Amino acid sequence: MHSADSHDVIRVVGARENNLKDVDLEIPKRRLTVFTGVSGSGKSSLVFGTIAAESRRLIDETYSTFVQGFMPNLPRPEVDALEGLTTAILVDQERLGANPRSTLGTVTDANAMLRSLFSRLGQPYIGGPTAFSFNIPTAKASGVFTTATGEKKIVKDAVYLGGMCAECEGRGTVSDLDLSVIIDESKSLTEGAILVPGYTADGWMVATFIESGFFDPAKPIREYSEKERHDLLYKQTTKIKAKGINVTYDGLIPKLRKSMFSKDVDSLQPHIKAFVERAAVFKTCPECGGTRLNESARSSKINGLSIADVCAMQVTDAAEWLRGIEAPGVAPLVAGLLHLLDSFVDIGLGYLSLDRPSGTLSGGEAQRTKMVRHLGSALTDVTYVFDEPTVGLHPHDIERMNTLLLELRDKGNTVLVVEHKPETIAIADHVVDLGPGAGSAGGMVCFEGTVEDLRAADTLTGRHLGYRARLKDDVRTPSGRLEIRGANRHNLRDVDVDVPLGVLCVVTGVAGSGKSSLIHGSLPGDAGVVSVDQAAIKGSRRSNPATYTGLLEPIRKAFAKANGVKPALFSANSEGACPTCKGAGVIVTELGFMDTVSTPCEDCGGKRFQAAVLELRLGGLNIAEVLDLPVAEAQAFFAEGEAATPAAAAILARLADVGLGYLKLGQPLNTLSGGERQRIKLAMHLGERGGIYVLDEPTTGLHLADVENLLRLLDQLVDAGKSVIVIEHHQAVMAHADWIIDLGPGAGHDGGQVVFEGTPADLVAARSTLTGQHLAEYVGS
């Protein structure tokens, strides 16, 4: 054997990133290796935080120092040695950027190819590719035009064609305000007609309107004349005298646009944010019909269709249309675009359209969109790193995903997959099981070897690999019905369905069949519905479970009361912060073109608080020691005795209920796994008062053993009189349900219908749908 062929493993020595405990490991190259273990056991720390991070850092170092200055500085992972690394390509679950101008077509370069195609073949001819771009406006220019040789030419009204709709500026929607949310027409100003937060009838904000003299403040708004109404709502800036003082008067709508609606929604206070989201209504642009393109871009057609029509089609239909184009001059372009669209279909995203805004894709859809780029890649000997590629996939779609992972491996690549689903673990050449527990109880390699050996191994994953949830003997009787009639959002076809209340109802179906459209689009958005969606929780180094869940508030007050000082002292982001590191716990030193170095703060020892604050105690512990407690210990600490704080104990009990008893209160949110973040969010929403809970794929990121705990939690909610509706693909959750609503039969325009409603036992017996077949296989019926 040639010595160059002997490097057939990736060797990890002494990995200590996050909770890893000196992990030594050899991973075979050009094989499919699956990393398993409970949520928080250290899988991501090993695969993403160590192997992929070091590979990227080493590649970045090959650039010149000038270029490195513009790139993010990546610290070296906590590891003694890494050998045999190859280029790592990460395909994670990060959502695609939610820029309003970004669509599926722009993200995957399908739009760029379509624009070139229409500029060549479109009739009538209107211009180059930019004439079909909704991000480029049409511009006119006059003046002196200088060429590279210095020759000057005078141009007058030269037109540079772009495809942007001038009305909506290429966004496809225009914003409008819902007046019924802003004013109550039946009341007068003195009775509180203005419903905006902060605009109380006796407050200064409303006094300007009352004193203006433009209208009678005691008259109900609906009785105002056209002029009075205009003066109240839309009057331009003018000077008036109110209570003897010269003040500036603005109509209510311009005033709100300046003070609330022009700001970033996420930066507003929660109650104002809620008001803005209720009042701001986005409607389809009347000028372009939501296509984002101007009239000239829509007028040019190929085989009777404009570029807007093609982008609005389902990808499967767009591919069929493309196959009908026979023009030798653009054959390579058509072949490239066809390969891209067929890749979408292969990966199970054929139901999407190219004009779908990228910010509306789910985590699983975003991950598969990124995967499309790599399917036809000519690269080999690359390490592909996947973070739960089966998220959001129906068992039927998982089979296709498995085929794609094996195709990547067979091209000579190393494929590393972090995964919980037994279907994907089963196709692995090599399995690494981390654990035994989560957080500080994990971080060790419990098993490595083949899938057959794992089944026989006495590890948590090994014991649960053959686990099958049983169908219930008795299902609960619904206490009522929630009627959905004529639902037609997205691909739904006038769906009529009764959702039972007071039971555990699971809505299922293949990816893209219309589950989220049915539930999120049809349930009333009133206070009785608590919705836990898939949106990722954002967190910096300064945020932790205590700050995010609101737990720190009662803890600070308890400390302040016990020590006779103010609560702000017990916040590392406020007065109590260590002055040297500003409450971050670390000092970040930037060394120009070299690595940025983070060192624990010498003054506070990484505890983030001033020395004086750490001398103040509650129940024998200071604030830093309390934040270092795991949830389970903190729950006992705040439940009784000197430190008894009912508000804190209630939040901690919810965190323990979702299986996060091992998590430290002060652990930075940016070090938590996806499954842990999902459950922190679930714990927060459990505290809300509501009769109906809607959970969107709560098993995301959960180990097989954690799924049992989740089912127990869902049962507790239902037994407490709540109605629980779960959108889910996991067969264990389906088997545990009282009622199943199955959508399909396919995805996109092949779905959007209810193909089954009834008990899980009836679904298994009928085997009439894809879900029924897979569930029957799962429970072994």
Side-chain angles (χ1 to χ4, degrees):
M1 188 172 73
H2 196 289
S3 59
D5 296 330
S6 61
H7 305 284
D8 52 2
V9 294
I10 296 173
R11 189 172 287 107
V12 181
V13 181
R16 295 179 298 279
E17 193 70 20
N18 294 332
N19 67 332
L20 296 178
K21 296 172 181 166
D22 276 321
V23 168
D24 297 342
L25 190 64
E26 287 190 352
I27 301 163
K29 283 188 183 177
R30 292 176 284 282
R31 296 291 180 272
L32 174 62
T33 301
V34 173
F35 292 80
T36 63
V38 295
S39 189
S41 60
K43 303 181 298 296
S44 296
S45 300
L46 178 60
V47 180
F48 290 94
T50 306
I51 298 169
E54 180 65 356
S55 171
R56 181 175 168 189
R57 191 183 73 85
L58 293 173
I59 290 169
D60 286 358
E61 283 186 359
T62 63
Y63 295 105
S64 67
T65 49
F66 174 74
V67 174
Q68 284 184 48
F70 296 99
M71 299 169 82
N73 280 325
L74 302 169
R76 189 176 187 281
E78 286 278 328
V79 61
D80 292 337
L82 278 167
E83 296 167 15
L85 287 179
T86 65
T87 306
I89 294 178
L90 266 70
V91 187
D92 58 15
Q93 286 179 36
E94 281 295 311
R95 296 291 180 97
L96 293 166
N99 185 317
R101 298 185 182 286
S102 171
T103 66
L104 187 71
T106 60
V107 165
T108 55
D109 288 339
N111 269 31
M113 292 192 235
L114 269 178
R115 292 200 299 268
S116 294
L117 187 66
F118 272 87
S119 69
R120 302 275 182 84
L121 299 183
Q123 290 298 327
Y125 174 79
I126 61 161
T130 56
F132 296 94
S133 170
F134 54 73
N135 288 328
I136 299 175
T138 296
K140 269 187 183 177
S142 300
V144 179
F145 182 71
T146 310
T147 65
T149 57
E151 185 189 339
K152 293 190 175 178
K153 202 159 90 181
I154 293 174
V155 291
K156 196 173 183 190
D157 289 342
V159 176
Y160 297 95
L161 278 176
M164 180 189 284
C165 166
E167 179 72 21
C168 63
E169 297 183 345
R171 289 166 182 255
T173 56
V174 286
S175 64
D176 205 0
L177 296 179
D178 183 353
L179 284 180
S180 65
V181 176
I182 296 170
I183 52 170
D184 183 345
E185 301 266 348
S186 64
K187 292 181 179 175
S188 68
L189 288 177
T190 49
E191 291 169 339
I194 300 178
L195 306 174
V196 183
Y199 283 67
T200 50
D202 54 354
W204 172 249
M205 300 294 252
V206 177
T208 316
F209 294 101
I210 291 174
E211 298 283 325
S212 67
F214 295 132
F215 32 71
D216 179 3
K219 188 163 73 171
I221 308 291
R222 62 166 171 243
E223 294 175 16
Y224 277 21
S225 66
E226 198 64 41
K227 184 178 183 307
E228 287 175 327
R229 194 179 179 82
H230 177 270
D231 288 346
L232 170 67
L233 295 175
Y234 303 107
K235 195 170 182 70
Q236 296 299 315
T237 306
T238 182
K239 294 282 185 201
I240 62 160
K241 245 191 171 66
K243 296 188 177 175
I245 306 166
N246 288 329
V247 292
T248 303
Y249 178 91
D250 279 303
L252 181 60
I253 300 301
K255 194 171 188 155
L256 292 178
R257 281 198 195 277
K258 273 187 257 176
S259 63
M260 292 182 189
F261 293 104
S262 62
K263 295 189 176 159
D264 176 20
V265 180
D266 291 330
S267 68
L268 300 171
Q269 292 169 287
H271 66 293
I272 295 178
K273 179 182 173 183
F275 165 76
V276 167
E277 286 173 342
R278 284 200 315 275
V281 186
F282 288 93
K283 60 180 185 184
T284 304
C285 170
E287 187 66 32
C288 66
T291 62
R292 305 165 178 250
L293 293 160
N294 57 27
E295 180 60 41
S296 70
R298 301 197 307 272
S299 68
S300 182
K301 299 189 176 182
I302 302 175
N303 293 353
L305 294 179
S306 70
I307 190 169
D309 298 331
V310 177
C311 287
M313 288 167 125
Q314 196 167 298
V315 167
T316 46
D317 297 341
E320 280 308 309
W321 169 81
L322 204 55
R323 284 190 174 88
I325 294 175
E326 293 172 3
V330 290
L333 183 62
V334 171
L337 186 52
L338 205 48
H339 173 75
L340 179 65
L341 297 183
D342 286 342
S343 296
F344 269 111
V345 179
D346 290 344
I347 209 162
L349 292 179
Y351 61 88
L352 296 175
S353 60
L354 294 176
D355 62 1
R356 172 84 175 259
S358 59
T360 64
L361 297 176
S362 69
E365 286 170 338
Q367 186 175 26
R368 283 178 283 154
T369 300
K370 293 176 201 169
M371 205 173 166
V372 165
R373 299 176 195 166
H374 305 301
L375 289 183
S377 171
L379 292 171
T380 66
D381 257 326
V382 169
T383 301
Y384 283 100
V385 185
F386 290 98
D387 186 10
E388 289 188 57
T390 59
V391 162
L393 289 188
H394 187 270
H396 171 68
D397 301 310
I398 291 177
E399 291 172 13
R400 287 203 284 195
M401 176 59 76
N402 285 350
T403 308
L404 294 169
L405 292 174
L406 293 171
E407 270 177 30
L408 282 175
R409 177 203 67 185
D410 294 344
K411 279 170 67 177
N413 297 306
T414 306
V415 182
L416 308 181
V417 183
V418 173
E419 190 50 90
H420 295 291
K421 293 272 172 73
E423 297 96 323
T424 302
I425 296 172
I427 64 163
D429 302 310
H430 188 73
V431 181
V432 177
D433 189 23
L434 283 119
S440 55
M444 293 183 280
V445 175
C446 300
F447 168 87
E448 54 175 318
T450 63
V451 180
E452 281 64 41
D453 293 343
L454 177 64
R455 290 186 198 281
D458 189 28
T459 70
L460 197 59
T461 308
R463 291 194 296 272
H464 280 83
L465 204 53
Y467 165 78
R468 295 286 183 267
R470 284 190 321 108
L471 292 173
K472 282 190 195 166
D473 298 325
D474 302 308
V475 293
R476 300 179 183 92
T477 308
S479 59
R481 302 258 167 211
L482 186 70
E483 293 184 1
I484 295 175
R485 295 288 178 266
N488 55 9
R489 191 178 181 188
H490 298 321
N491 66 328
L492 295 175
R493 302 189 196 173
D494 287 327
V495 171
D496 295 342
V497 67
D498 291 340
V499 180
L501 299 178
V503 297
L504 174 57
C505 174
V506 172
V507 181
T508 185
V510 295
S513 57
K515 305 178 295 296
S516 297
S517 303
L518 177 68
I519 299 302
H520 293 305
S522 308
L523 283 183
D526 58 23
V529 178
V530 177
S531 182
V532 187
D533 60 14
Q534 288 182 359
I537 65 174
K538 297 181 178 70
S540 67
R541 223 207 111 67
R542 287 181 175 274
S543 39
N544 53 46
T547 58
Y548 186 79
T549 57
L551 170 65
L552 200 56
E553 194 63 28
I555 291 177
R556 283 201 302 251
K557 286 179 178 167
F559 264 96
K561 191 175 176 185
N563 293 284
V565 292
K566 50 185 184 177
L569 280 174
F570 301 98
S571 167
N573 298 327
S574 185
E575 293 178 27
C578 161
T580 311
C581 63
K582 308 277 191 295
V586 291
I587 303 285
V588 177
T589 313
E590 302 212 2
L591 301 172
F593 57 85
M594 291 168 65
D595 285 351
T596 299
V597 179
S598 294
T599 49
C601 171
E602 289 181 8
D603 284 5
C604 65
K607 291 181 176 169
R608 304 174 61 195
F609 291 92
Q610 296 172 18
V613 173
L614 295 178
E615 287 172 13
L616 305 173
R617 295 182 176 271
L618 173 69
L621 299 179
N622 65 31
I623 184 73
E625 289 164 342
V626 165
L627 290 176
D628 204 40
L629 290 175
V631 166
E633 287 179 31
Q635 188 183 356
F637 178 74
F638 287 110
E640 54 194 13
E642 186 194 334
T645 312
I651 296 172
L652 288 162
R654 292 201 293 273
L655 285 168
D657 282 346
V658 294
L660 292 175
Y662 62 88
L663 205 63
K664 290 190 174 176
L665 306 188
Q667 186 178 338
L669 275 192
N670 60 0
T671 64
L672 300 185
S673 70
E676 287 167 337
R677 289 180 178 216
Q678 183 87 346
R679 284 183 288 163
I680 283 188
K681 205 161 113 175
L682 180 57
M684 274 186 67
H685 286 293
L686 288 178
E688 294 179 20
R689 292 179 186 277
I692 301 173
Y693 282 82
V694 178
L695 311 182
D696 199 345
E697 293 189 42
T699 61
T700 301
L702 288 194
H703 186 265
L704 298 162
D706 297 324
V707 172
E708 289 182 60
N709 296 334
L710 177 75
L711 294 176
R712 215 169 12 251
L713 180 70
L714 297 180
D715 278 342
Q716 282 173 15
L717 281 173
V718 177
D719 293 340
K722 313 283 187 191
S723 301
V724 180
I725 301 168
V726 184
I727 300 170
E728 189 54 85
H729 296 288
H730 202 295
Q731 295 103 314
V733 182
M734 293 183 211
H736 198 74
D738 298 308
W739 192 260
I740 286 183
I741 297 172
D742 191 15
L743 285 141
H749 60 44
D750 297 326
Q753 297 168 285
V754 174
V755 290
F756 174 86
E757 44 181 326
T759 64
D762 292 343
L763 179 62
V764 167
R767 294 187 188 218
S768 55
T769 69
L770 281 171
T771 307
Q773 290 160 22
H774 283 280
L775 187 58
E777 222 172 277
Y778 175 82
V779 296
S781 301

